[in-house]
Structures are given as structure tokens and as C-alpha cells.
């Protein structure tokens, strides 16, 4: 009995669910990494989660979704497919993830992973890019919608059928279903479903904070034994709650799940480990619909430097982005041989 108790105690200390600190990546955008230990913690599955938190009140944050393809035909071939990193690069974005489900024109079968970039796809349900409707909500399929006005004011519609008006909407994406509504995890509704989409899979999700200030972009890696096996709907919703969301939708997942950012040298890099690359050793999947964000660089550590000269002295003030102890060098020449 004593040995059994000791063993249980050790297992509990090793199992954990952890959300790391929020780290600024761009002005108004922070990144955090979550992990869950298999067989313990808050979830039953081994998981690695990446989440970006975007401040929708930041005036420099601009949202973007896949635009119309050059060969656009409504309801047939609506977008051009690219890997997520190339979509980011092609449009000069700072952040990009996969979004709506997508199909080859005239088909409802799942598209292959490594189709030629630029291939035309039909986007599933509502998609609006820069005020232009790319795909309309024409059925009850994929009814979970997030819409944004030009000032980034969001509208969350868990079931967009009959379709709501899109007047004044600048950006919109749609997912197969909502998983978090008014702080309630409704992903649990699908626990006993036998459909593949509700299984243990890589996940992409969007969430909103209750006050509508923050937009959360969340991906959970999957299909990678020993690293991250994926998540069920209820786990995805639970992670959205952990990071601070109040409402959320499940987007296309599986091999499409990918999150990319632009690094300081203007090179696109993945934050997560997408399944398509991990399983094949080749490249990301060619994805038909993306969602992205334009943002400015993080401000420098020193800001608001101000010099107020007097006859024989000068008062110099500055602001730092976090508490700091600073020493000022000065002098009558550029040698700056004196210090405060």
C-alpha cells in the first residue's frame, strides 16, 4: 500500500498542464506556448499548443483573409491555395494561420496535401477579404462565424444560418462548428460522435475574450507520437478557456493546421510543427483559406526620450517598457567621458 501511494504521488507530480508566459512578438500581439503531459494534467492527451493573442483595440492591427483567386468563379473556384508560410510572405503579413475548410472545384472530397501552389479552391461558406465577399454563406454547413468591421470590432455567430447580414463587414472566416459559447465548453457535445472531424486531431481555433478586446489564434499539434497527439473538441475549447477566451470556433484542422509568423529578418517561420511536414519530411500542406494579421514591430525598450536644456544643465527623461535601472553617459565631446 505504501508503495502504491508513493507511485501515485510521483505520477501526479510529473503530470502537468502549463501555459507559458505571454511574450510580445509584434505591437499588439503576444505569443504563449501551452503543454499537457500525457496521462495527467488537465487533459488526457499529450499536447503542444501555440496561441497568439491580438489586441483588437491596437490601431495598427489589421486583419486579413484569403482574397479572391485570379480565376475567381463564385461558388466554384474562389481562392488560390498556398502553404501558410508562403501566404504570409506573399501578402507581407506578420501572422498567418489556416482558416475555412476548402475543396477542389466541383468536389466535396478532401484535397491532397501537396497540390501546386496557386491551385484554385472552393472555400467552405462565409469568407470576406477586405470588404469583398469571397465565399457566401449559402447553407447550414460550416455555420460558426467570426466577422470583423473595419475597426476590428468583432461579431461572433455560433450558427450563421439563416445567414446574418454582412453589411459593414471587412473580414470574415467560418468554421465547421462553435466549441465555446458564452464561456461554456460546448465541444463536449461531440464526445460520443463517431465522425472523424470530432476525433483526436491537430486543431486550429479562433477565440474572443468576453470584453471583445482580444482575439486568440490557437493551434494544437497532433499525429506526432511522443510530441503532441492532438485534441478532441472539448479539449480545444478548454484550451481556449485557459488562454482567456469566452467564445470560440473550430476551424479546419488536421494536416492544414499551421501557424506562421514573420521573423525580424522578414523570413516566414512556423511556430508549430504541422502534421504534413512532420509526417512526410516534405513541406506544409497547400491550404485553400488563410487568416492573417498585419502588425507593427514591438516598440524599442527606450521610448519618449526628451531633453530639456537649461543654461548650465539639462534634464533628460525617457520611458522604458519595463522597470529598469539606467545610467546616462554624457560629455562635451562624443567621447562621453562623464556619467550620472
Amino acid at each position: 500500500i505504501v508503495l502504491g501511494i508513493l507511485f501515485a504521488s510521483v505520477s501526479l507530480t510529473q503530470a502537468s498542464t502549463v501555459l507559458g508566459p505571454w511574450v510580445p512578438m509584434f505591437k499588439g500581439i503576444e505569443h504563449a506556448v501551452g503543454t499537457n503531459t500525457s496521462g495527467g494534467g488537465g487533459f488526457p492527451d499529450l499536447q503542444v499548443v501555440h496561441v497568439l493573442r491580438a489586441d483588437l483595440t491596437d490601431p495598427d492591427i489589421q486583419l486579413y483573409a484569403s482574397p479572391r483567386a485570379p480565376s475567381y468563379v463564385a461558388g466554384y473556384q474562389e481562392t488560390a491555395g498556398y502553404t501558410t508560410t508562403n501566404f504570409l510572405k506573399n501578402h507581407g503579413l506578420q501572422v498567418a494561420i489556416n482558416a475555412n475548410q476548402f475543396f477542389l472545384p466541383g468536389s466535396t472530397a478532401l484535397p491532397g496535401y501537396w497540390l501546386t501552389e496557386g491551385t484554385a479552391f472552393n472555400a467552405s461558406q462565409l469568407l470576406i477579404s477586405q470588404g469583398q465577399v469571397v465565399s457566401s454563406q449559402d447553407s447550414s454547413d460550416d455555420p460558426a462565424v467570426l466577422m470583423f468591421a473595419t475597426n476590428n470590432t468583432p461579431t461572433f455567430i455560433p450558427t450563421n444560418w439563416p445567414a446574418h447580414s454582412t453589411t459593414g463587414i471587412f473580414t470574415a472566416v467560418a468554421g465547421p462548428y462553435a466549441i465555446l459559447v458564452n464561456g461554456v465548453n460546448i465541444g463536449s457535445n461531440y464526445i460520443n460522435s463517431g465522425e472523424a472531424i470530432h476525433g483526436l486531431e491537430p486543431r486550429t481555433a479562433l477565440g474572443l475574450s468576453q470584453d471583445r478586446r482580444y482575439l486568440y489564434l490557437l493551434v494544437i499539434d497532433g499525429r506526432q507520437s511522443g510530441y503532441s497527439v492532438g485534441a478532441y473538441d472539448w479539449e480545444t475549447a478548454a484550451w481556449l478557456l485557459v488562454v482567456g477566451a469566452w467564445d470560440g470556433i473550430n476551424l479546419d484542422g488536421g494536416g492544414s493546421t499551421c501557424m506562421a509568423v514573420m521573423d525580424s529578418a522578414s523570413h516566414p517561420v512556423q511556430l508549430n510543427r504541422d502534421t504534413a511536414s512532420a509526417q512526410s519530411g516534405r513541406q506544409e500542406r497547400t491550404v485553400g483559406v488563410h487568416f492573417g494579421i498585419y502588425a507593427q514591430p514591438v516598440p524599442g525598450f527606450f521610448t519618449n526620450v526628451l531633453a530639456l536644456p537649461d543654461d548650465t544643465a539639462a534634464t533628460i527623461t525617457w520611458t522604458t517598457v519595463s522597470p529598469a535601472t539606467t545610467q546616462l553617459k554624457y560629455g562635451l565631446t562624443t567621447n562621453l567621458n562623464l556619467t550620472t
Side-chain angles (χ1 to χ4, degrees):
I1 295 174
V2 174
L3 287 175
I5 293 172
L6 288 174
F7 179 78
S9 176
V10 170
S11 297
L12 288 172
T13 59
Q14 289 177 339
S16 63
T17 300
V18 177
L19 179 66
W22 291 103
V23 178
M25 294 204 75
F26 306 98
K27 180 174 175 284
I29 298 180
E30 299 168 300
H31 172 235
V33 179
T35 56
N36 185 73
T37 306
S38 179
F43 310 99
D45 301 299
L46 179 65
Q47 293 164 341
V48 176
V49 179
H50 287 269
V51 59
L52 294 169
R53 180 172 68 182
D55 186 348
L56 294 176
T57 67
D58 189 306
D60 292 317
I61 294 292
Q62 297 180 48
L63 307 179
Y64 188 74
S66 291
R68 290 183 174 183
S71 56
Y72 179 79
V73 178
Y76 186 70
Q77 49 188 43
E78 299 172 324
T79 65
Y82 295 94
T83 63
T84 303
T85 50
N86 278 341
F87 179 82
L88 178 92
K89 180 180 177 181
N90 293 345
H91 296 282
L93 295 157
Q94 278 61 58
V95 169
I97 60 169
N98 64 295
N100 300 41
Q101 295 193 98
F102 57 95
F103 305 95
L104 287 170
S107 173
T108 57
L110 295 177
Y113 276 19
W114 300 287
L115 298 174
T116 303
E117 293 198 72
T119 295
F121 289 104
N122 185 28
S124 183
Q125 302 308 313
L126 188 63
L127 177 64
I128 297 177
S129 180
Q130 295 187 304
Q132 186 175 57
V133 175
V134 179
S135 179
S136 60
Q137 187 82 37
D138 56 16
S139 78
S140 60
D141 294 337
D142 292 14
V145 167
L146 280 181
M147 304 192 297
F148 303 87
T150 53
N151 64 354
N152 294 337
T153 299
T155 300
F156 167 66
I157 307 174
T159 306
N160 188 37
W161 190 253
H164 287 58
S165 170
T166 58
T167 301
I169 299 303
F170 195 67
T171 309
V173 292
Y177 43 85
I179 52 176
L180 186 63
V181 178
N182 293 326
V184 177
N185 185 338
I186 65 169
S188 58
N189 293 345
Y190 307 107
I191 287 177
N192 295 318
S193 173
E195 294 183 64
I197 194 172
H198 301 302
L200 189 65
E201 298 288 351
R203 297 284 175 176
T204 303
L206 290 177
L208 289 170
S209 60
Q210 186 175 10
D211 62 6
R212 297 313 194 234
R213 176 175 178 177
Y214 293 109
L215 171 67
Y216 299 92
L217 290 68
L218 183 141
V219 296
I220 304 175
D221 284 331
R223 302 177 188 169
Q224 299 173 64
S225 178
Y227 167 66
S228 184
V229 298
Y232 293 101
D233 295 307
W234 74 266
E235 293 176 298
T236 309
W239 271 112
L240 283 174
L241 283 168
V242 167
V243 303
W246 186 251
D247 295 290
I249 66 174
N250 182 66
L251 294 175
D252 189 27
S256 299
T257 290
C258 189
M259 176 181 284
V261 297
M262 194 70 77
D263 70 12
S264 58
S266 297
H267 297 137
V269 295
Q270 271 196 58
L271 290 182
N272 72 316
R273 288 167 49 175
D274 74 282
T275 298
S277 299
Q279 291 185 336
S280 69
R282 295 172 62 182
Q283 65 175 30
E284 307 157 43
R285 185 179 190 178
T286 302
V287 171
V289 184
H290 287 97
F291 177 80
I293 302 177
Y294 293 104
Q296 295 297 314
V298 175
F301 189 80
F302 292 94
T303 60
N304 304 320
V305 179
L306 181 65
L308 298 175
D310 204 342
D311 292 341
T312 59
T315 299
I316 300 177
T317 61
W318 59 89
T319 302
T320 59
V321 295
S322 60
T325 300
T326 315
Q327 188 175 50
L328 184 69
K329 292 184 177 182
Y330 67 100
L332 298 176
T333 69
T334 55
N335 290 330
L336 304 179
N337 60 331
L338 300 173
T339 59
T340 56

